[in-house]
Amino acid sequence: MLSKTQTGYYKIRFRVNPKLESFFKKKEINKVLNTNVYEIAKVKADIIRQKYQDLLKVSRVLERKQIQELIWLQ
């Protein structure tokens, strides 16, 4: 979900799937996108969501150590 911070920048916020909570060590991703232009924020948010979705898909077949490495690289 896209929303604006108090300073006018957009941020993305979404829940972490319970299967991945132990890797992220949190239940929610909350990231400022460093832009106050909606169109740019949407593109950045889509990229972050897609990376997360890809990670969620491959987490079903990877070992724990491999998942940790993928998260660390992002």
Side-chain angles (χ1 to χ4, degrees), residues 42-67:
K42 178 123 175 55
V43 170
K44 287 182 173 187
D46 288 345
I47 291 168
I48 291 169
R49 278 193 204 107
Q50 188 59 52
K51 284 182 178 184
Y52 176 78
Q53 290 298 324
D54 292 345
L55 179 62
L56 186 58
K57 286 177 189 174
V58 298
S59 71
R60 296 179 183 123
V61 295
L62 295 179
E63 294 180 13
R64 184 171 180 81
K65 185 176 179 180
Q66 293 171 311
I67 296 169

Side-chain angles (χ1 to χ4, degrees), residues 2-54:
L2 273 178
S3 60
K4 274 195 170 183
T5 64
Q6 290 179 336
T7 58
Y9 286 99
Y10 281 96
K11 68 178 181 176
I12 184 173
R13 182 176 156 205
F14 59 92
R15 291 197 48 81
V16 174
N17 185 294
K19 295 177 183 176
L20 296 177
E21 280 180 12
S22 64
F23 297 104
F24 284 96
K25 296 182 175 56
K26 51 183 152 180
K27 295 182 181 214
E28 187 175 87
I29 300 293
N30 196 8
K31 180 165 178 57
V32 176
L33 301 173
N34 296 321
T35 184
N36 56 4
V37 179
Y38 176 78
E39 291 79 12
I40 295 172
K42 178 123 175 55
V43 170
K44 287 182 173 187
D46 288 345
I47 291 168
I48 291 169
R49 278 193 204 107
Q50 188 59 52
K51 284 182 178 184
Y52 176 78
Q53 290 298 324
D54 292 345

